[in-house]
Amino acid sequence: MSTPFLTGPRWVTVRQHRRVLWVLPAVVAMSLAGVVALRWWAAHGADLYPSSPDGPLRSAMDVAGIGMLLLPLLVGAFVAGPMVARELESGTYRLALTQSSTSRAWLAAKISVAAAAAVACSAALAGIYRLGRLPLAGTYQFHWADRGPYEATGTVIVAYCLLGVGVGALVGQLLRRTLAAMAVTGLVTGLVIVVLGALRWSLLPVRTLTASTAPGVPKLPRDALMMDLGLTTASGGRLPEGACFAHTRSMSQCPPDMNVTGWYVDYHPVTHYWPTQSIETGIVLVLAALAVWGAFAVLRKRHP
């Protein structure tokens, strides 16, 4: 943070929350040290390989993936509670308004400081996560499209943290109760993460491979994400994967009247990773901007 940034209400906000702001670089430093130590241990053959299901690196990165998913919720809860709702609940925000500062400047300081800290911390932790995941890439639960690794290795984690800031600023003003604002913000932010996570693989069209029944199921490209698998018919229709088995108890034999001609498989190649990240990041940033706009709209209504 440069000196021009830390002026007026922003300087006051940093002073108010300086302990938390000092904790963030400490967490980043400890995370980096832990990942470097675990990678060294794994690379030098401690007693477990890095891809072992119960290996220390894998276990640590499993926990780290969950932590990265929870990070936007924690950011939002902190903004909603200690930064906004607590001051409104206790009335201490009135002191800021008596120090030649407007209500708009007060809220802008909260949002700008929180956003800067969230971006810096989430980007640093994403880089550290990528470093730790590198030996595990492509293995079980560490595929590029898996929940956790997908968010933690791209730009969406930063966008979700900014969403948490915006939602926290809005909910904190609406509820004006610290614990309630924290709980609701975490719930809303988590709901957005879950919904977009369920929809993300619909953002880009899938690619399709087909094969005749003789050679069997078409072989996917390396690291591809399979979305659907089934049978094709002479009329160009599609049947579920187990359609023939339901009639013949065999996956390779189909009744003649079904007119099965082969297999199809829909998938996303690994090259869809960054385009999907970019689209989802854009959607989340729009939602974050709308939340911030809503926060200032509520502020104008209550403190014209």
Side-chain angles (χ1 to χ4, degrees):
M1 297 180 185
S2 62
T3 302
F5 180 80
L6 292 179
T7 57
R10 285 190 293 269
W11 183 86
V12 173
T13 300
V14 170
R15 289 287 297 171
Q16 284 179 317
H17 304 287
R18 60 188 180 278
R19 292 181 181 176
V20 174
L21 293 176
W22 276 113
V23 167
L24 296 181
V27 170
V28 171
M30 291 174 60
S31 300
L32 178 59
V35 166
V36 170
L38 287 171
R39 283 202 56 178
W40 182 90
W41 185 21
H44 290 78
D47 31 343
L48 296 171
Y49 293 100
S51 59
S52 174
D54 57 345
L57 180 61
R58 174 176 288 274
S59 299
M61 296 310 296
D62 273 335
V63 174
I66 297 173
M68 292 294 282
L69 284 174
L70 294 177
L71 183 61
L73 281 66
L74 297 175
V75 170
F78 182 79
V79 173
M83 292 193 78
V84 176
R86 186 169 64 186
E87 291 200 19
L88 295 172
E89 184 178 15
S90 63
T92 55
Y93 76 98
R94 294 190 182 93
L95 178 61
L97 302 185
T98 63
Q99 305 298 316
S100 301
S101 178
T102 65
S103 58
R104 183 181 179 86
W106 170 81
L107 182 59
K110 303 292 184 185
I111 293 176
S112 59
V113 170
V119 169
C121 184
S122 59
L125 290 176
I128 295 170
Y129 184 91
R130 290 180 70 91
L131 178 65
R133 174 184 169 271
L134 202 56
L136 307 170
T139 62
Y140 177 65
Q141 292 185 333
F142 287 94
H143 189 262
W144 61 271
D146 284 338
R147 177 59 63 89
Y150 171 85
E151 290 87 355
T153 55
T155 56
V156 295
I157 188 63
V158 178
Y160 280 121
C161 285
L162 289 175
L163 175 66
V165 172
V167 173
L170 175 59
V171 173
Q173 289 190 93
L174 290 174
L175 298 185
R176 295 181 167 226
R177 294 293 183 269
T178 303
L179 294 180
M182 293 174 70
V184 171
T185 298
L187 179 63
V188 171
T189 306
L191 183 62
V192 173
I193 293 175
V194 171
V195 170
L196 288 181
L199 298 176
R200 68 170 53 111
W201 301 120
S202 301
L203 299 176
L204 290 176
V206 295
R207 296 183 182 178
T208 301
L209 289 176
T210 58
S212 64
T213 52
V217 179
K219 184 177 180 181
L220 286 174
R222 183 179 179 182
D223 291 331
L225 171 65
M226 187 177 74
M227 300 300 296
D228 192 19
L229 173 66
L231 299 164
T232 58
T233 64
S235 62
R238 290 184 169 189
L239 296 173
E241 176 185 0
C244 292
F245 183 83
H247 292 82
T248 65
R249 297 301 179 206
S250 172
M251 296 295 292
S252 59
Q253 295 181 354
C254 297
D257 60 341
M258 293 180 66
N259 296 319
V260 172
T261 58
W263 293 88
Y264 77 89
V265 58
D266 293 335
Y267 70 98
H268 284 289
V270 68
T271 54
H272 281 187
Y273 172 78
W274 281 115
T276 306
Q277 283 270 339
S278 300
I279 297 171
E280 186 174 351
T281 297
I283 294 172
V284 177
L285 289 178
V286 170
L287 294 177
L290 290 174
V292 171
W293 177 85
F296 279 103
V298 172
L299 185 72
R300 285 194 300 270
K301 183 177 180 179
R302 293 183 173 177
H303 301 280

